[in-house]
Amino acid sequence: MRKIRIVFLLLLIAVVVPSQARLKVGLVLGGGGAKGAAEVGALRVIEETGIPIDYIAGTSIGSIIGGLYACGYRSADLDSLFRNEKWMKLFGDDILKGKEIEGLFRQFVNVPDSIDFDSLSIPYRAVAVDIKGDSVVVLRNCSLTRAMRASMSIPGAFKPVRIDGKVLVDGGMKNNLPVDVVKAMGADVVIAIDLTQNKRKERKYSLKEKTGIGGVLDYLISRPDIKIYKQNVSEADVYINPDLKGFSAADFKPKAISEMIDRGLKAAESKRSAILSLKKRIRKHSR
């Protein structure tokens, strides 16, 4: 009788106390123009490990790759896309063609014009900056193609995008590696792919004071977002930073793209054991 009672109590505990939900994984994709090709290579390794991705946040080119990934594209699809001549010509020859790029995005994104990004295959956020308020804007509920375009709109290169009364430009101006954004979405652990090569000390600039491509480049090189950037790097559980020295954000030539994809793959491969350890941690937590 005593054994029966013990078994009954154990069964009751199992019913009353639910099993722990597994840790949620956030994927962060940083900005860097053509250097985003390295993120494609890194994603191939991440996919091979089989670790689940529950949330995605991206800035600039990272918002484009992240938006497509959230819609169901995978590394093989993105690899083909980056090597596509039409894509390269559109980004490489005349970068003032904002409308053409947005039209290209629509060809790849088969979702309604206005959508809650939580309803995508993987919940997603795009990071932009409101040039009027000089503040970060996290896009989560609007046209997906417009959000992607806004996040990559480098002042002086692309026209700003107006959404909900805000004048939006490239999110890399304020938050180029949005680990904080994916954590706010609910991620418990984070895999971050950072394209940053020049990690300088903080210098204070106002975005409003910078005009023209020269001013914008000076702004970007000064790394005004360095404080939040360093905090975000420190909070990534797996940090992947491919060696892309010698490449620029405008290197959309096929040879450069191929090499950067390969470098991203190698950088992620060096973190394969860390990703697998994180995967084991997730499984252990969910028992």
Side-chain angles (χ1 to χ4, degrees), residues 236-274:
D237 296 87
V238 177
Y239 175 71
I240 302 171
N241 185 211
D243 179 3
L244 300 172
K245 291 181 178 65
F247 294 99
S248 77
D251 276 336
F252 281 102
K253 294 180 180 178
K255 185 177 180 180
I257 291 295
S258 180
E259 176 64 23
M260 288 188 283
I261 288 174
D262 187 54
R263 291 196 184 192
L265 189 152
K266 289 178 180 177
E269 189 63 50
S270 71
K271 296 298 179 79
R272 182 184 286 267
S273 60

PDB file of all heavy atoms in Angstrom, residues 236-274:
ATOM      1  N   ALA A 236      26.514  37.752 -25.919  1.00  0.00           N
ATOM      2  CA  ALA A 236      26.308  36.666 -26.878  1.00  0.00           C
ATOM      3  C   ALA A 236      26.908  35.375 -26.309  1.00  0.00           C
ATOM      4  O   ALA A 236      28.044  35.375 -25.842  1.00  0.00           O
ATOM      5  CB  ALA A 236      26.964  37.003 -28.205  1.00  0.00           C
ATOM      6  N   ASP A 237      26.148  34.302 -26.335  1.00  0.00           N
ATOM      7  CA  ASP A 237      26.638  33.017 -25.828  1.00  0.00           C
ATOM      8  C   ASP A 237      27.619  32.382 -26.804  1.00  0.00           C
ATOM      9  O   ASP A 237      28.581  31.735 -26.394  1.00  0.00           O
ATOM     10  CB  ASP A 237      25.453  32.080 -25.573  1.00  0.00           C
ATOM     11  CG  ASP A 237      24.547  32.607 -24.481  1.00  0.00           C
ATOM     12  OD1 ASP A 237      23.634  33.407 -24.797  1.00  0.00           O
ATOM     13  OD2 ASP A 237      24.752  32.249 -23.319  1.00  0.00           O
ATOM     14  N   VAL A 238      27.348  32.551 -28.100  1.00  0.00           N
ATOM     15  CA  VAL A 238      28.289  32.130 -29.141  1.00  0.00           C
ATOM     16  C   VAL A 238      28.516  33.334 -30.045  1.00  0.00           C
ATOM     17  O   VAL A 238      27.573  33.840 -30.657  1.00  0.00           O
ATOM     18  CB  VAL A 238      27.758  30.934 -29.965  1.00  0.00           C
ATOM     19  CG1 VAL A 238      28.743  30.586 -31.083  1.00  0.00           C
ATOM     20  CG2 VAL A 238      27.520  29.721 -29.072  1.00  0.00           C
ATOM     21  N   TYR A 239      29.757  33.783 -30.106  1.00  0.00           N
ATOM     22  CA  TYR A 239      30.098  34.989 -30.868  1.00  0.00           C
ATOM     23  C   TYR A 239      30.961  34.602 -32.058  1.00  0.00           C
ATOM     24  O   TYR A 239      32.053  34.043 -31.910  1.00  0.00           O
ATOM     25  CB  TYR A 239      30.844  35.966 -29.962  1.00  0.00           C
ATOM     26  CG  TYR A 239      31.363  37.205 -30.652  1.00  0.00           C
ATOM     27  CD1 TYR A 239      30.488  38.199 -31.079  1.00  0.00           C
ATOM     28  CD2 TYR A 239      32.732  37.404 -30.853  1.00  0.00           C
ATOM     29  CE1 TYR A 239      30.955  39.349 -31.701  1.00  0.00           C
ATOM     30  CE2 TYR A 239      33.208  38.548 -31.471  1.00  0.00           C
ATOM     31  CZ  TYR A 239      32.316  39.516 -31.888  1.00  0.00           C
ATOM     32  OH  TYR A 239      32.787  40.656 -32.504  1.00  0.00           O
ATOM     33  N   ILE A 240      30.459  34.878 -33.261  1.00  0.00           N
ATOM     34  CA  ILE A 240      31.162  34.545 -34.503  1.00  0.00           C
ATOM     35  C   ILE A 240      31.558  35.841 -35.204  1.00  0.00           C
ATOM     36  O   ILE A 240      30.698  36.645 -35.560  1.00  0.00           O
ATOM     37  CB  ILE A 240      30.275  33.687 -35.422  1.00  0.00           C
ATOM     38  CG1 ILE A 240      29.851  32.397 -34.708  1.00  0.00           C
ATOM     39  CG2 ILE A 240      31.003  33.362 -36.725  1.00  0.00           C
ATOM     40  CD1 ILE A 240      28.791  31.593 -35.451  1.00  0.00           C
ATOM     41  N   ASN A 241      32.864  36.049 -35.381  1.00  0.00           N
ATOM     42  CA  ASN A 241      33.377  37.289 -35.971  1.00  0.00           C
ATOM     43  C   ASN A 241      34.374  36.946 -37.077  1.00  0.00           C
ATOM     44  O   ASN A 241      35.573  36.887 -36.863  1.00  0.00           O
ATOM     45  CB  ASN A 241      34.035  38.137 -34.880  1.00  0.00           C
ATOM     46  CG  ASN A 241      34.501  39.494 -35.365  1.00  0.00           C
ATOM     47  OD1 ASN A 241      35.483  40.031 -34.867  1.00  0.00           O
ATOM     48  ND2 ASN A 241      33.804  40.087 -36.320  1.00  0.00           N
ATOM     49  N   PRO A 242      33.869  36.694 -38.304  1.00  0.00           N
ATOM     50  CA  PRO A 242      34.755  36.307 -39.404  1.00  0.00           C
ATOM     51  C   PRO A 242      35.838  37.350 -39.682  1.00  0.00           C
ATOM     52  O   PRO A 242      35.604  38.552 -39.537  1.00  0.00           O
ATOM     53  CB  PRO A 242      33.796  36.194 -40.601  1.00  0.00           C
ATOM     54  CG  PRO A 242      32.453  35.990 -39.991  1.00  0.00           C
ATOM     55  CD  PRO A 242      32.463  36.774 -38.718  1.00  0.00           C
ATOM     56  N   ASP A 243      37.009  36.884 -40.083  1.00  0.00           N
ATOM     57  CA  ASP A 243      38.094  37.780 -40.470  1.00  0.00           C
ATOM     58  C   ASP A 243      37.827  38.267 -41.898  1.00  0.00           C
ATOM     59  O   ASP A 243      37.995  37.532 -42.863  1.00  0.00           O
ATOM     60  CB  ASP A 243      39.428  37.031 -40.412  1.00  0.00           C
ATOM     61  CG  ASP A 243      40.616  37.911 -40.838  1.00  0.00           C
ATOM     62  OD1 ASP A 243      40.397  39.115 -41.113  1.00  0.00           O
ATOM     63  OD2 ASP A 243      41.735  37.383 -40.909  1.00  0.00           O
ATOM     64  N   LEU A 244      37.402  39.526 -42.008  1.00  0.00           N
ATOM     65  CA  LEU A 244      37.061  40.099 -43.306  1.00  0.00           C
ATOM     66  C   LEU A 244      37.922  41.312 -43.639  1.00  0.00           C
ATOM     67  O   LEU A 244      37.531  42.152 -44.446  1.00  0.00           O
ATOM     68  CB  LEU A 244      35.574  40.482 -43.324  1.00  0.00           C
ATOM     69  CG  LEU A 244      34.607  39.317 -43.082  1.00  0.00           C
ATOM     70  CD1 LEU A 244      33.185  39.834 -42.927  1.00  0.00           C
ATOM     71  CD2 LEU A 244      34.694  38.296 -44.208  1.00  0.00           C
ATOM     72  N   LYS A 245      39.064  41.372 -42.995  1.00  0.00           N
ATOM     73  CA  LYS A 245      39.979  42.489 -43.269  1.00  0.00           C
ATOM     74  C   LYS A 245      40.391  42.439 -44.740  1.00  0.00           C
ATOM     75  O   LYS A 245      40.696  41.386 -45.282  1.00  0.00           O
ATOM     76  CB  LYS A 245      41.201  42.416 -42.368  1.00  0.00           C
ATOM     77  CG  LYS A 245      40.886  42.691 -40.902  1.00  0.00           C
ATOM     78  CD  LYS A 245      42.144  42.636 -40.052  1.00  0.00           C
ATOM     79  CE  LYS A 245      41.832  42.960 -38.589  1.00  0.00           C
ATOM     80  NZ  LYS A 245      40.966  41.963 -37.967  1.00  0.00           N
ATOM     81  N   GLY A 246      40.399  43.609 -45.373  1.00  0.00           N
ATOM     82  CA  GLY A 246      40.731  43.677 -46.789  1.00  0.00           C
ATOM     83  C   GLY A 246      39.511  43.749 -47.679  1.00  0.00           C
ATOM     84  O   GLY A 246      39.616  44.074 -48.863  1.00  0.00           O
ATOM     85  N   PHE A 247      38.336  43.452 -47.100  1.00  0.00           N
ATOM     86  CA  PHE A 247      37.086  43.546 -47.851  1.00  0.00           C
ATOM     87  C   PHE A 247      36.310  44.779 -47.391  1.00  0.00           C
ATOM     88  O   PHE A 247      36.388  45.174 -46.232  1.00  0.00           O
ATOM     89  CB  PHE A 247      36.225  42.308 -47.639  1.00  0.00           C
ATOM     90  CG  PHE A 247      36.821  41.048 -48.201  1.00  0.00           C
ATOM     91  CD1 PHE A 247      37.500  40.158 -47.378  1.00  0.00           C
ATOM     92  CD2 PHE A 247      36.711  40.754 -49.547  1.00  0.00           C
ATOM     93  CE1 PHE A 247      38.057  38.998 -47.891  1.00  0.00           C
ATOM     94  CE2 PHE A 247      37.258  39.599 -50.073  1.00  0.00           C
ATOM     95  CZ  PHE A 247      37.939  38.722 -49.240  1.00  0.00           C
ATOM     96  N   SER A 248      35.559  45.363 -48.301  1.00  0.00           N
ATOM     97  CA  SER A 248      34.740  46.520 -47.955  1.00  0.00           C
ATOM     98  C   SER A 248      33.263  46.167 -48.041  1.00  0.00           C
ATOM     99  O   SER A 248      32.893  45.121 -48.573  1.00  0.00           O
ATOM    100  CB  SER A 248      35.036  47.691 -48.899  1.00  0.00           C
ATOM    101  OG  SER A 248      34.400  47.485 -50.163  1.00  0.00           O
ATOM    102  N   ALA A 249      32.440  47.074 -47.544  1.00  0.00           N
ATOM    103  CA  ALA A 249      30.992  46.866 -47.575  1.00  0.00           C
ATOM    104  C   ALA A 249      30.442  46.892 -48.997  1.00  0.00           C
ATOM    105  O   ALA A 249      29.312  46.488 -49.245  1.00  0.00           O
ATOM    106  CB  ALA A 249      30.287  47.931 -46.736  1.00  0.00           C
ATOM    107  N   ALA A 250      31.267  47.373 -49.949  1.00  0.00           N
ATOM    108  CA  ALA A 250      30.826  47.474 -51.343  1.00  0.00           C
ATOM    109  C   ALA A 250      31.424  46.385 -52.234  1.00  0.00           C
ATOM    110  O   ALA A 250      31.283  46.434 -53.450  1.00  0.00           O
ATOM    111  CB  ALA A 250      31.189  48.845 -51.901  1.00  0.00           C
ATOM    112  N   ASP A 251      32.074  45.382 -51.644  1.00  0.00           N
ATOM    113  CA  ASP A 251      32.709  44.313 -52.427  1.00  0.00           C
ATOM    114  C   ASP A 251      31.692  43.267 -52.880  1.00  0.00           C
ATOM    115  O   ASP A 251      31.666  42.137 -52.381  1.00  0.00           O
ATOM    116  CB  ASP A 251      33.815  43.630 -51.614  1.00  0.00           C
ATOM    117  CG  ASP A 251      35.131  44.363 -51.689  1.00  0.00           C
ATOM    118  OD1 ASP A 251      35.331  45.098 -52.677  1.00  0.00           O
ATOM    119  OD2 ASP A 251      35.949  44.217 -50.769  1.00  0.00           O
ATOM    120  N   PHE A 252      30.888  43.640 -53.862  1.00  0.00           N
ATOM    121  CA  PHE A 252      29.860  42.724 -54.360  1.00  0.00           C
ATOM    122  C   PHE A 252      30.324  41.935 -55.596  1.00  0.00           C
ATOM    123  O   PHE A 252      29.513  41.310 -56.266  1.00  0.00           O
ATOM    124  CB  PHE A 252      28.581  43.493 -54.692  1.00  0.00           C
ATOM    125  CG  PHE A 252      27.757  43.838 -53.481  1.00  0.00           C
ATOM    126  CD1 PHE A 252      27.785  45.118 -52.940  1.00  0.00           C
ATOM    127  CD2 PHE A 252      26.951  42.879 -52.874  1.00  0.00           C
ATOM    128  CE1 PHE A 252      27.026  45.442 -51.828  1.00  0.00           C
ATOM    129  CE2 PHE A 252      26.193  43.195 -51.756  1.00  0.00           C
ATOM    130  CZ  PHE A 252      26.228  44.466 -51.232  1.00  0.00           C
ATOM    131  N   LYS A 253      31.615  41.978 -55.894  1.00  0.00           N
ATOM    132  CA  LYS A 253      32.114  41.207 -57.027  1.00  0.00           C
ATOM    133  C   LYS A 253      32.094  39.721 -56.684  1.00  0.00           C
ATOM    134  O   LYS A 253      32.341  39.334 -55.533  1.00  0.00           O
ATOM    135  CB  LYS A 253      33.521  41.667 -57.399  1.00  0.00           C
ATOM    136  CG  LYS A 253      33.561  43.099 -57.937  1.00  0.00           C
ATOM    137  CD  LYS A 253      34.974  43.512 -58.297  1.00  0.00           C
ATOM    138  CE  LYS A 253      34.998  44.938 -58.839  1.00  0.00           C
ATOM    139  NZ  LYS A 253      36.372  45.390 -59.163  1.00  0.00           N
ATOM    140  N   PRO A 254      31.808  38.865 -57.672  1.00  0.00           N
ATOM    141  CA  PRO A 254      31.670  37.415 -57.424  1.00  0.00           C
ATOM    142  C   PRO A 254      32.823  36.797 -56.651  1.00  0.00           C
ATOM    143  O   PRO A 254      32.604  36.001 -55.732  1.00  0.00           O
ATOM    144  CB  PRO A 254      31.564  36.838 -58.842  1.00  0.00           C
ATOM    145  CG  PRO A 254      30.954  37.940 -59.639  1.00  0.00           C
ATOM    146  CD  PRO A 254      31.527  39.204 -59.082  1.00  0.00           C
ATOM    147  N   LYS A 255      34.063  37.139 -56.992  1.00  0.00           N
ATOM    148  CA  LYS A 255      35.214  36.548 -56.318  1.00  0.00           C
ATOM    149  C   LYS A 255      35.242  36.915 -54.839  1.00  0.00           C
ATOM    150  O   LYS A 255      35.523  36.070 -53.973  1.00  0.00           O
ATOM    151  CB  LYS A 255      36.513  37.009 -56.994  1.00  0.00           C
ATOM    152  CG  LYS A 255      37.754  36.344 -56.435  1.00  0.00           C
ATOM    153  CD  LYS A 255      38.998  36.778 -57.196  1.00  0.00           C
ATOM    154  CE  LYS A 255      40.253  36.114 -56.624  1.00  0.00           C
ATOM    155  NZ  LYS A 255      41.487  36.527 -57.363  1.00  0.00           N
ATOM    156  N   ALA A 256      34.942  38.193 -54.545  1.00  0.00           N
ATOM    157  CA  ALA A 256      34.936  38.650 -53.157  1.00  0.00           C
ATOM    158  C   ALA A 256      33.813  37.978 -52.376  1.00  0.00           C
ATOM    159  O   ALA A 256      34.008  37.553 -51.228  1.00  0.00           O
ATOM    160  CB  ALA A 256      34.776  40.170 -53.110  1.00  0.00           C
ATOM    161  N   ILE A 257      32.646  37.881 -52.980  1.00  0.00           N
ATOM    162  CA  ILE A 257      31.501  37.233 -52.327  1.00  0.00           C
ATOM    163  C   ILE A 257      31.838  35.789 -51.988  1.00  0.00           C
ATOM    164  O   ILE A 257      31.588  35.316 -50.865  1.00  0.00           O
ATOM    165  CB  ILE A 257      30.250  37.294 -53.235  1.00  0.00           C
ATOM    166  CG1 ILE A 257      29.742  38.738 -53.352  1.00  0.00           C
ATOM    167  CG2 ILE A 257      29.153  36.379 -52.706  1.00  0.00           C
ATOM    168  CD1 ILE A 257      29.241  39.344 -52.071  1.00  0.00           C
ATOM    169  N   SER A 258      32.413  35.087 -52.934  1.00  0.00           N
ATOM    170  CA  SER A 258      32.778  33.681 -52.722  1.00  0.00           C
ATOM    171  C   SER A 258      33.761  33.537 -51.565  1.00  0.00           C
ATOM    172  O   SER A 258      33.615  32.652 -50.710  1.00  0.00           O
ATOM    173  CB  SER A 258      33.377  33.107 -54.007  1.00  0.00           C
ATOM    174  OG  SER A 258      33.729  31.751 -53.836  1.00  0.00           O
ATOM    175  N   GLU A 259      34.758  34.409 -51.532  1.00  0.00           N
ATOM    176  CA  GLU A 259      35.768  34.340 -50.478  1.00  0.00           C
ATOM    177  C   GLU A 259      35.163  34.659 -49.115  1.00  0.00           C
ATOM    178  O   GLU A 259      35.488  34.007 -48.101  1.00  0.00           O
ATOM    179  CB  GLU A 259      36.902  35.317 -50.789  1.00  0.00           C
ATOM    180  CG  GLU A 259      37.976  35.406 -49.719  1.00  0.00           C
ATOM    181  CD  GLU A 259      38.748  34.118 -49.502  1.00  0.00           C
ATOM    182  OE1 GLU A 259      38.790  33.273 -50.430  1.00  0.00           O
ATOM    183  OE2 GLU A 259      39.298  33.935 -48.398  1.00  0.00           O
ATOM    184  N   MET A 260      34.261  35.644 -49.063  1.00  0.00           N
ATOM    185  CA  MET A 260      33.653  36.010 -47.785  1.00  0.00           C
ATOM    186  C   MET A 260      32.704  34.931 -47.271  1.00  0.00           C
ATOM    187  O   MET A 260      32.619  34.690 -46.061  1.00  0.00           O
ATOM    188  CB  MET A 260      32.956  37.370 -47.905  1.00  0.00           C
ATOM    189  CG  MET A 260      33.934  38.533 -47.994  1.00  0.00           C
ATOM    190  SD  MET A 260      33.146  40.166 -47.903  1.00  0.00           S
ATOM    191  CE  MET A 260      32.463  40.326 -49.543  1.00  0.00           C
ATOM    192  N   ILE A 261      31.987  34.282 -48.167  1.00  0.00           N
ATOM    193  CA  ILE A 261      31.140  33.160 -47.755  1.00  0.00           C
ATOM    194  C   ILE A 261      32.013  32.086 -47.111  1.00  0.00           C
ATOM    195  O   ILE A 261      31.684  31.533 -46.046  1.00  0.00           O
ATOM    196  CB  ILE A 261      30.370  32.579 -48.961  1.00  0.00           C
ATOM    197  CG1 ILE A 261      29.271  33.549 -49.412  1.00  0.00           C
ATOM    198  CG2 ILE A 261      29.742  31.226 -48.604  1.00  0.00           C
ATOM    199  CD1 ILE A 261      28.545  33.128 -50.677  1.00  0.00           C
ATOM    200  N   ASP A 262      33.150  31.814 -47.738  1.00  0.00           N
ATOM    201  CA  ASP A 262      34.070  30.804 -47.225  1.00  0.00           C
ATOM    202  C   ASP A 262      34.640  31.202 -45.866  1.00  0.00           C
ATOM    203  O   ASP A 262      34.765  30.366 -44.960  1.00  0.00           O
ATOM    204  CB  ASP A 262      35.205  30.584 -48.233  1.00  0.00           C
ATOM    205  CG  ASP A 262      36.106  29.425 -47.846  1.00  0.00           C
ATOM    206  OD1 ASP A 262      35.583  28.316 -47.637  1.00  0.00           O
ATOM    207  OD2 ASP A 262      37.331  29.613 -47.743  1.00  0.00           O
ATOM    208  N   ARG A 263      34.960  32.477 -45.703  1.00  0.00           N
ATOM    209  CA  ARG A 263      35.507  32.933 -44.428  1.00  0.00           C
ATOM    210  C   ARG A 263      34.466  32.870 -43.313  1.00  0.00           C
ATOM    211  O   ARG A 263      34.795  32.584 -42.153  1.00  0.00           O
ATOM    212  CB  ARG A 263      36.057  34.356 -44.568  1.00  0.00           C
ATOM    213  CG  ARG A 263      37.305  34.424 -45.425  1.00  0.00           C
ATOM    214  CD  ARG A 263      38.035  35.731 -45.241  1.00  0.00           C
ATOM    215  NE  ARG A 263      39.183  35.834 -46.132  1.00  0.00           N
ATOM    216  CZ  ARG A 263      40.121  36.767 -46.031  1.00  0.00           C
ATOM    217  NH1 ARG A 263      40.038  37.688 -45.081  1.00  0.00           N
ATOM    218  NH2 ARG A 263      41.135  36.791 -46.879  1.00  0.00           N
ATOM    219  N   GLY A 264      33.218  33.146 -43.670  1.00  0.00           N
ATOM    220  CA  GLY A 264      32.150  33.030 -42.678  1.00  0.00           C
ATOM    221  C   GLY A 264      31.969  31.591 -42.241  1.00  0.00           C
ATOM    222  O   GLY A 264      31.772  31.289 -41.056  1.00  0.00           O
ATOM    223  N   LEU A 265      32.049  30.680 -43.206  1.00  0.00           N
ATOM    224  CA  LEU A 265      31.939  29.253 -42.912  1.00  0.00           C
ATOM    225  C   LEU A 265      33.069  28.814 -41.979  1.00  0.00           C
ATOM    226  O   LEU A 265      32.839  28.099 -40.983  1.00  0.00           O
ATOM    227  CB  LEU A 265      31.973  28.463 -44.216  1.00  0.00           C
ATOM    228  CG  LEU A 265      31.656  26.965 -44.144  1.00  0.00           C
ATOM    229  CD1 LEU A 265      31.051  26.492 -45.466  1.00  0.00           C
ATOM    230  CD2 LEU A 265      32.895  26.148 -43.829  1.00  0.00           C
ATOM    231  N   LYS A 266      34.288  29.243 -42.264  1.00  0.00           N
ATOM    232  CA  LYS A 266      35.435  28.860 -41.440  1.00  0.00           C
ATOM    233  C   LYS A 266      35.323  29.424 -40.029  1.00  0.00           C
ATOM    234  O   LYS A 266      35.656  28.749 -39.045  1.00  0.00           O
ATOM    235  CB  LYS A 266      36.727  29.338 -42.098  1.00  0.00           C
ATOM    236  CG  LYS A 266      37.101  28.565 -43.349  1.00  0.00           C
ATOM    237  CD  LYS A 266      38.372  29.119 -43.997  1.00  0.00           C
ATOM    238  CE  LYS A 266      38.733  28.329 -45.250  1.00  0.00           C
ATOM    239  NZ  LYS A 266      39.921  28.894 -45.950  1.00  0.00           N
ATOM    240  N   ALA A 267      34.845  30.671 -39.919  1.00  0.00           N
ATOM    241  CA  ALA A 267      34.697  31.296 -38.603  1.00  0.00           C
ATOM    242  C   ALA A 267      33.672  30.535 -37.757  1.00  0.00           C
ATOM    243  O   ALA A 267      33.875  30.308 -36.561  1.00  0.00           O
ATOM    244  CB  ALA A 267      34.281  32.757 -38.752  1.00  0.00           C
ATOM    245  N   ALA A 268      32.563  30.140 -38.378  1.00  0.00           N
ATOM    246  CA  ALA A 268      31.531  29.394 -37.666  1.00  0.00           C
ATOM    247  C   ALA A 268      32.017  27.981 -37.344  1.00  0.00           C
ATOM    248  O   ALA A 268      31.687  27.428 -36.287  1.00  0.00           O
ATOM    249  CB  ALA A 268      30.253  29.343 -38.494  1.00  0.00           C
ATOM    250  N   GLU A 269      32.785  27.402 -38.249  1.00  0.00           N
ATOM    251  CA  GLU A 269      33.333  26.056 -38.019  1.00  0.00           C
ATOM    252  C   GLU A 269      34.209  26.049 -36.768  1.00  0.00           C
ATOM    253  O   GLU A 269      34.201  25.074 -35.998  1.00  0.00           O
ATOM    254  CB  GLU A 269      34.139  25.602 -39.238  1.00  0.00           C
ATOM    255  CG  GLU A 269      34.557  24.146 -39.197  1.00  0.00           C
ATOM    256  CD  GLU A 269      33.387  23.189 -39.191  1.00  0.00           C
ATOM    257  OE1 GLU A 269      32.490  23.329 -40.037  1.00  0.00           O
ATOM    258  OE2 GLU A 269      33.370  22.296 -38.308  1.00  0.00           O
ATOM    259  N   SER A 270      34.940  27.121 -36.553  1.00  0.00           N
ATOM    260  CA  SER A 270      35.794  27.218 -35.364  1.00  0.00           C
ATOM    261  C   SER A 270      34.971  27.307 -34.084  1.00  0.00           C
ATOM    262  O   SER A 270      35.497  27.095 -32.982  1.00  0.00           O
ATOM    263  CB  SER A 270      36.721  28.433 -35.469  1.00  0.00           C
ATOM    264  OG  SER A 270      36.005  29.652 -35.321  1.00  0.00           O
ATOM    265  N   LYS A 271      33.680  27.630 -34.217  1.00  0.00           N
ATOM    266  CA  LYS A 271      32.777  27.722 -33.059  1.00  0.00           C
ATOM    267  C   LYS A 271      31.779  26.559 -33.014  1.00  0.00           C
ATOM    268  O   LYS A 271      30.840  26.587 -32.227  1.00  0.00           O
ATOM    269  CB  LYS A 271      32.009  29.052 -33.100  1.00  0.00           C
ATOM    270  CG  LYS A 271      32.889  30.292 -32.980  1.00  0.00           C
ATOM    271  CD  LYS A 271      33.619  30.306 -31.648  1.00  0.00           C
ATOM    272  CE  LYS A 271      34.533  31.516 -31.509  1.00  0.00           C
ATOM    273  NZ  LYS A 271      33.814  32.721 -31.148  1.00  0.00           N
ATOM    274  N   ARG A 272      31.986  25.552 -33.861  1.00  0.00           N
ATOM    275  CA  ARG A 272      31.050  24.425 -33.918  1.00  0.00           C
ATOM    276  C   ARG A 272      30.905  23.756 -32.543  1.00  0.00           C
ATOM    277  O   ARG A 272      29.785  23.451 -32.107  1.00  0.00           O
ATOM    278  CB  ARG A 272      31.498  23.395 -34.946  1.00  0.00           C
ATOM    279  CG  ARG A 272      30.534  22.216 -35.083  1.00  0.00           C
ATOM    280  CD  ARG A 272      31.070  21.161 -36.034  1.00  0.00           C
ATOM    281  NE  ARG A 272      30.980  21.594 -37.421  1.00  0.00           N
ATOM    282  CZ  ARG A 272      29.955  21.316 -38.222  1.00  0.00           C
ATOM    283  NH1 ARG A 272      28.917  20.627 -37.759  1.00  0.00           N
ATOM    284  NH2 ARG A 272      29.954  21.733 -39.473  1.00  0.00           N
ATOM    285  N   SER A 273      32.019  23.528 -31.862  1.00  0.00           N
ATOM    286  CA  SER A 273      31.946  22.863 -30.557  1.00  0.00           C
ATOM    287  C   SER A 273      31.169  23.709 -29.548  1.00  0.00           C
ATOM    288  O   SER A 273      30.423  23.187 -28.725  1.00  0.00           O
ATOM    289  CB  SER A 273      33.348  22.569 -30.020  1.00  0.00           C
ATOM    290  OG  SER A 273      34.091  23.767 -29.852  1.00  0.00           O
ATOM    291  N   ALA A 274      31.321  25.033 -29.631  1.00  0.00           N
ATOM    292  CA  ALA A 274      30.587  25.928 -28.735  1.00  0.00           C
ATOM    293  C   ALA A 274      29.095  25.881 -29.028  1.00  0.00           C
ATOM    294  O   ALA A 274      28.259  25.904 -28.109  1.00  0.00           O
ATOM    295  CB  ALA A 274      31.109  27.358 -28.880  1.00  0.00           C
TER     296      ALA A 274
END
